[in-house]
Amino acid sequence: MPSSPDHATDERPTLGESVPPLREWASTYLIGIFMGSADAVPGVSGGTIALIVGIYERLITAITAVTPRAVLGFLKALTPLGGGISVRRAEAIFDDVDGWFLLILLTGILTAVVIVTRIVTVLNESAPVVLYGFFFGLIAASAVVLLRAISIRTVGAGVAAVAGFLLAFLMSGQAEELFGGGLPLVFVAGTVAVSAMILPGLSGSLILVILGQHARLSETLSTFVDGLAGLVTGGSVDAITGLGTIVVTFIAGGLVGLFTISRAVRYALNRNREVTLAFLVALVVGALRAPVATVRAEVGFTPEVAITFLGLSFVGAFVVLALDYYAADFEIEEI
């Protein structure tokens, strides 16, 4: 058991001494790249990648250790508040939450998200049928894999499955009308999407697709990153102010989700696993409407469009089934 930050002693390693070696740093960063790439597309989960490479338990332990109390304690230790500045106390808290692991992993995830969202933005503008056909395959194969891993044996699980399916199916393409398409919807998207990212089999990007925010947020992030780079060459701050508001709102929603909804989902899994899993898996099935509805609205289905859409669907399905093959030991009931 790690010692309490409030009782840290001088025997604890300093922040510099606790830095992992370069090989571990590079390995964790590369895992973050894979997780971020998975989380940036619907139907593939970063949580599944974490299971495949064997860090899932460590990741969940670290995330649940990052509580508001730990964060406040860390900040207070670095300010004159709470008895004065104590780097040693801050180091203890940082080590207790596995801070270097989370920091390096998050850096890799963000790197991949920035790269993948740029690709998504380009494809959404130039080849939406290719993009959403690929997404459909990812989601469909994920649904098959997850449905194979659960069983619905009670009335409660059946009701939960129907509710999850209807929620995802009806929300697909309708979220902007329900929430107005402004910052409240972005906040909700961040809250739910970040919570889903840590669950194997359930992609945070899938939630964004259901809410109709995946393409919008991908474009916003890409443009925002370009704006930040432009500041170095004398660009205007005004050009990124509005975009920054959207990005910050999404991040704020994600932080709220990390401390609330993700814990609520894990509580529900512990309380009634069959019902909770039935609801979550049904969300994936209901989300199959979203890519089809998007292509129908933006392009329309002609025979040529349908062939391209189905062809890319097979490619997306292959990606998920390949991941499932390598995650053969993954049992969803053990989450």
Side-chain angles (χ1 to χ4, degrees):
M1 292 293 290
S3 60
S4 169
D6 295 330
H7 297 86
T9 67
D10 289 340
E11 282 75 24
R12 294 194 62 124
T14 65
L15 197 59
E17 292 172 344
S18 64
V19 175
L22 181 60
R23 182 174 180 177
E24 183 180 344
W25 190 308
S27 174
T28 303
Y29 179 77
L30 185 61
I31 291 172
I33 291 286
F34 287 131
M35 288 184 63
S37 300
D39 278 325
V41 294
V44 185
S45 169
T48 300
I49 302 297
L51 274 170
I52 293 173
V53 299
I55 67 162
Y56 185 72
E57 184 176 351
R58 182 180 181 183
L59 174 62
I60 295 301
T61 300
I63 288 176
T64 53
V66 182
T67 62
R69 180 180 180 183
V71 173
L72 289 175
F74 180 79
L75 295 176
K76 286 174 65 176
L78 296 177
T79 64
L81 301 174
I85 297 176
S86 174
V87 176
R88 182 71 70 172
R89 186 151 44 92
E91 292 169 359
I93 297 173
F94 192 78
D95 286 340
D96 282 342
V97 301
D98 209 355
W100 284 115
F101 168 73
L102 287 178
L103 183 61
I104 298 167
L105 189 72
L106 181 60
T107 302
I109 290 173
L110 291 177
T111 301
V113 167
V114 169
I115 294 172
V116 175
T117 52
R118 184 173 298 276
I119 296 173
V120 168
T121 298
V122 172
L123 287 177
N124 186 59
E125 295 175 352
S126 61
V129 177
V130 171
L131 177 66
Y132 287 100
F134 182 69
F135 282 179
F136 184 88
L138 293 174
I139 298 169
S142 295
V144 171
V145 170
L146 291 171
L147 285 171
R148 189 182 64 202
I150 69 168
S151 59
I152 299 176
R153 297 167 294 186
T154 65
V155 174
V159 171
V162 172
F165 174 82
L166 290 177
L167 177 63
F169 187 84
L170 296 175
M171 286 287 288
S172 297
Q174 305 297 322
E176 292 200 3
E177 286 76 6
L178 294 174
F179 291 94
L183 292 180
L185 179 56
V186 173
F187 184 85
V188 170
T191 301
V192 183
V194 171
S195 303
M197 284 180 181
I198 64 173
L199 292 173
L202 188 61
S203 167
S205 290
L206 175 67
I207 304 299
L208 297 183
V209 169
I210 294 174
L211 295 176
Q213 298 300 296
H214 192 275
R216 173 194 179 187
L217 291 174
S218 295
E219 181 178 0
T220 297
L221 180 59
S222 296
T223 307
F224 180 71
V225 171
D226 288 342
L228 289 178
L231 291 179
V232 179
T233 57
S236 172
V237 176
D238 295 337
I240 63 172
T241 301
L243 297 174
T245 301
I246 296 175
V247 172
V248 170
T249 300
F250 181 83
I251 293 174
L255 290 174
V256 170
L258 197 61
F259 290 125
T260 56
I261 292 183
S262 63
R263 284 171 166 77
V265 170
R266 289 188 61 78
Y267 172 80
L269 283 168
N270 291 330
R271 182 68 179 253
N272 197 323
R273 193 175 303 270
E274 183 178 351
V275 170
T276 305
L277 288 176
F279 178 81
L280 293 175
V281 173
L283 284 176
V284 180
V285 180
L288 284 169
R289 178 191 177 193
V292 177
T294 301
V295 171
R296 181 183 290 116
E298 294 186 5
V299 180
F301 273 100
T302 64
E304 293 79 7
V305 168
I307 292 173
T308 302
F309 186 90
L310 288 175
L312 269 297
S313 295
F314 282 112
V315 175
F318 176 80
V319 171
V320 173
L321 294 176
L323 283 174
D324 178 60
Y325 174 80
Y326 286 104
D329 294 332
F330 159 49
E331 295 291 341
I332 193 170
E333 291 87 352
E334 296 178 1
I335 300 175

Coordinates of all heavy atoms in Angstrom, one line a residue, residues 206-247:
L206 N -17.3 7.1 -30.3 CA -18.6 6.6 -30.7 C -19.7 7.5 -30.1 O -20.7 7.8 -30.8 CB -18.8 5.2 -30.2 CG -20.1 4.6 -30.3 CD1 -20.4 4.3 -31.8 CD2 -20.2 3.3 -29.6
I207 N -19.5 8.0 -28.9 CA -20.4 8.9 -28.2 C -20.5 10.2 -29.0 O -21.6 10.8 -29.2 CB -20.0 9.2 -26.8 CG1 -19.9 7.8 -26.0 CG2 -21.0 10.1 -26.1 CD1 -21.2 7.1 -25.9
L208 N -19.3 10.7 -29.5 CA -19.3 11.9 -30.2 C -20.1 11.7 -31.6 O -20.7 12.7 -32.0 CB -17.8 12.3 -30.5 CG -17.0 12.7 -29.3 CD1 -15.6 13.2 -29.7 CD2 -17.7 13.7 -28.4
V209 N -19.9 10.6 -32.2 CA -20.7 10.3 -33.4 C -22.2 10.3 -33.1 O -23.0 10.9 -33.9 CB -20.2 9.0 -34.0 CG1 -21.2 8.6 -35.2 CG2 -18.8 9.1 -34.6
I210 N -22.6 9.7 -32.1 CA -24.0 9.6 -31.7 C -24.5 11.1 -31.5 O -25.6 11.4 -31.9 CB -24.2 8.8 -30.4 CG1 -23.9 7.3 -30.7 CG2 -25.7 9.0 -29.9 CD1 -24.0 6.5 -29.4
L211 N -23.7 11.9 -30.8 CA -24.1 13.3 -30.5 C -23.9 14.2 -31.7 O -24.2 15.4 -31.6 CB -23.3 13.8 -29.3 CG -23.6 13.1 -28.0 CD1 -22.7 13.6 -26.9 CD2 -25.1 13.2 -27.6
G212 N -23.4 13.7 -32.8 CA -23.1 14.5 -34.0 C -22.0 15.5 -33.9 O -22.0 16.5 -34.6
Q213 N -21.1 15.2 -33.0 CA -20.0 16.2 -32.7 C -18.6 15.7 -33.1 O -17.7 16.5 -32.9 CB -20.0 16.5 -31.2 CG -21.3 17.1 -30.6 CD -21.6 18.4 -31.3 OE1 -20.8 19.4 -31.2 NE2 -22.7 18.5 -32.0
H214 N -18.5 14.5 -33.7 CA -17.2 14.0 -34.0 C -16.5 14.9 -35.0 O -15.3 15.3 -34.8 CB -17.3 12.6 -34.4 CG -16.0 11.9 -34.5 ND1 -15.1 11.9 -35.6 CD2 -15.3 11.1 -33.6 CE1 -14.0 11.2 -35.4 NE2 -14.1 10.7 -34.2
A215 N -17.1 15.1 -36.2 CA -16.5 15.9 -37.2 C -16.3 17.3 -36.8 O -15.2 17.9 -37.1 CB -17.4 15.8 -38.5
R216 N -17.3 17.9 -36.1 CA -17.1 19.3 -35.6 C -16.0 19.5 -34.7 O -15.2 20.4 -34.9 CB -18.4 19.7 -34.9 CG -18.4 21.1 -34.3 CD -19.5 21.3 -33.3 NE -19.4 22.6 -32.7 CZ -20.2 23.0 -31.7 NH1 -21.1 22.2 -31.2 NH2 -20.1 24.2 -31.2
L217 N -15.8 18.6 -33.7 CA -14.8 18.7 -32.7 C -13.4 18.4 -33.3 O -12.4 19.0 -32.9 CB -15.0 17.9 -31.5 CG -16.2 18.3 -30.6 CD1 -16.5 17.3 -29.5 CD2 -15.9 19.7 -30.0
S218 N -13.4 17.5 -34.3 CA -12.1 17.2 -35.0 C -11.6 18.4 -35.7 O -10.4 18.7 -35.7 CB -12.3 16.0 -35.9 OG -12.6 14.8 -35.2
E219 N -12.5 19.0 -36.4 CA -12.2 20.2 -37.2 C -11.8 21.4 -36.3 O -10.8 22.1 -36.5 CB -13.3 20.7 -38.1 CG -13.0 21.9 -38.9 CD -14.2 22.3 -39.8 OE1 -15.2 21.6 -39.8 OE2 -14.0 23.3 -40.5
T220 N -12.5 21.5 -35.2 CA -12.2 22.6 -34.2 C -10.8 22.4 -33.6 O -10.0 23.3 -33.5 CB -13.2 22.6 -33.1 OG1 -14.5 22.9 -33.6 CG2 -12.9 23.6 -32.0
L221 N -10.5 21.2 -33.2 CA -9.2 20.9 -32.6 C -8.1 21.1 -33.6 O -7.0 21.7 -33.3 CB -9.1 19.5 -32.1 CG -7.8 19.0 -31.5 CD1 -7.5 19.9 -30.3 CD2 -7.8 17.6 -31.0
S222 N -8.2 20.7 -34.9 CA -7.2 20.9 -35.9 C -7.0 22.3 -36.2 O -5.8 22.8 -36.3 CB -7.6 20.1 -37.2 OG -7.7 18.8 -37.0
T223 N -8.1 23.1 -36.3 CA -7.9 24.5 -36.6 C -7.3 25.2 -35.4 O -6.5 26.2 -35.5 CB -9.3 25.1 -36.9 OG1 -9.9 24.4 -37.9 CG2 -9.2 26.6 -37.3
F224 N -7.7 24.8 -34.2 CA -7.1 25.4 -33.0 C -5.6 25.2 -32.9 O -4.8 26.1 -32.5 CB -7.8 24.9 -31.7 CG -7.3 25.4 -30.4 CD1 -7.6 26.7 -30.0 CD2 -6.6 24.6 -29.6 CE1 -7.2 27.2 -28.8 CE2 -6.1 25.1 -28.3 CZ -6.4 26.4 -28.0
V225 N -5.2 24.0 -33.1 CA -3.7 23.7 -33.1 C -3.0 24.5 -34.2 O -1.9 25.0 -33.9 CB -3.5 22.1 -33.3 CG1 -2.0 21.8 -33.5 CG2 -4.1 21.3 -32.2
D226 N -3.6 24.6 -35.4 CA -3.0 25.5 -36.4 C -2.9 26.9 -35.9 O -1.9 27.6 -36.2 CB -3.8 25.4 -37.7 CG -3.7 24.1 -38.4 OD1 -2.7 23.3 -38.1 OD2 -4.6 23.8 -39.2
G227 N -3.9 27.4 -35.2 CA -3.9 28.7 -34.7 C -2.8 28.9 -33.7 O -2.1 30.0 -33.6
L228 N -2.6 28.0 -32.8 CA -1.6 28.0 -31.8 C -0.2 28.1 -32.5 O 0.7 28.9 -32.0 CB -1.6 26.8 -30.8 CG -2.8 26.8 -29.9 CD1 -2.7 25.5 -29.0 CD2 -2.8 28.0 -28.9
A229 N 0.0 27.3 -33.5 CA 1.2 27.3 -34.2 C 1.4 28.6 -34.9 O 2.6 29.1 -35.0 CB 1.3 26.2 -35.3
G230 N 0.3 29.2 -35.4 CA 0.4 30.5 -36.1 C 0.8 31.6 -35.1 O 1.4 32.7 -35.6
L231 N 0.6 31.5 -33.8 CA 1.0 32.5 -32.9 C 2.5 32.7 -32.9 O 3.0 33.8 -32.7 CB 0.5 32.2 -31.5 CG -1.0 32.3 -31.2 CD1 -1.4 31.9 -29.8 CD2 -1.6 33.7 -31.5
V232 N 3.2 31.6 -33.1 CA 4.7 31.7 -33.2 C 5.1 32.6 -34.3 O 6.2 33.3 -34.2 CB 5.3 30.3 -33.3 CG1 6.8 30.3 -33.3 CG2 4.8 29.4 -32.2
T233 N 4.4 32.6 -35.4 CA 4.8 33.4 -36.5 C 4.0 34.7 -36.6 O 3.9 35.4 -37.7 CB 4.6 32.6 -37.8 OG1 3.2 32.2 -37.9 CG2 5.5 31.4 -37.8
G234 N 3.5 35.1 -35.5 CA 2.8 36.4 -35.4 C 1.3 36.4 -35.7 O 0.7 37.5 -36.0
G235 N 0.7 35.3 -35.6 CA -0.8 35.2 -35.8 C -1.6 35.9 -34.8 O -1.0 36.3 -33.7
S236 N -2.9 36.1 -35.0 CA -3.7 36.8 -34.1 C -4.3 35.9 -33.0 O -4.7 34.7 -33.3 CB -4.9 37.5 -34.9 OG -5.8 38.0 -34.0
V237 N -4.3 36.4 -31.8 CA -5.0 35.6 -30.7 C -6.5 35.5 -30.9 O -7.1 34.5 -30.5 CB -4.6 36.3 -29.3 CG1 -5.4 35.6 -28.2 CG2 -3.1 36.3 -29.1
D238 N -7.0 36.6 -31.5 CA -8.5 36.6 -31.7 C -8.9 35.4 -32.6 O -10.1 35.0 -32.5 CB -8.9 37.9 -32.4 CG -8.6 39.1 -31.5 OD1 -8.6 38.9 -30.3 OD2 -8.5 40.2 -32.0
A239 N -8.0 35.0 -33.5 CA -8.4 33.9 -34.4 C -8.6 32.6 -33.7 O -9.3 31.7 -34.2 CB -7.3 33.7 -35.5
I240 N -8.1 32.4 -32.5 CA -8.3 31.1 -31.8 C -9.1 31.3 -30.5 O -9.4 30.3 -29.8 CB -6.9 30.5 -31.4 CG1 -6.2 31.4 -30.5 CG2 -6.1 30.2 -32.7 CD1 -4.9 30.8 -29.9
T241 N -9.6 32.5 -30.2 CA -10.3 32.7 -29.0 C -11.6 31.8 -29.0 O -11.9 31.1 -28.0 CB -10.7 34.1 -28.8 OG1 -9.5 34.9 -28.7 CG2 -11.4 34.3 -27.5
G242 N -12.4 32.0 -30.0 CA -13.6 31.2 -30.1 C -13.4 29.7 -30.1 O -14.1 29.0 -29.4
L243 N -12.4 29.3 -30.8 CA -12.1 27.8 -30.9 C -11.6 27.3 -29.5 O -11.9 26.2 -29.1 CB -11.0 27.6 -32.0 CG -11.4 27.9 -33.4 CD1 -10.2 27.7 -34.3 CD2 -12.6 27.0 -33.9
G244 N -10.8 28.2 -28.9 CA -10.3 27.8 -27.6 C -11.4 27.6 -26.6 O -11.3 26.8 -25.7
T245 N -12.5 28.4 -26.7 CA -13.6 28.3 -25.8 C -14.3 26.9 -25.9 O -14.6 26.3 -24.9 CB -14.7 29.4 -26.1 OG1 -14.1 30.7 -25.9 CG2 -15.9 29.2 -25.1
I246 N -14.4 26.4 -27.2 CA -15.0 25.1 -27.4 C -14.1 24.0 -26.9 O -14.5 23.1 -26.2 CB -15.2 24.9 -28.9 CG1 -16.2 25.9 -29.5 CG2 -15.6 23.5 -29.2 CD1 -16.4 25.9 -31.0
V247 N -12.7 24.1 -27.1 CA -11.8 23.1 -26.6 C -11.8 23.1 -25.1 O -11.8 22.0 -24.5 CB -10.4 23.4 -27.2 CG1 -9.4 22.5 -26.5 CG2 -10.3 23.3 -28.7

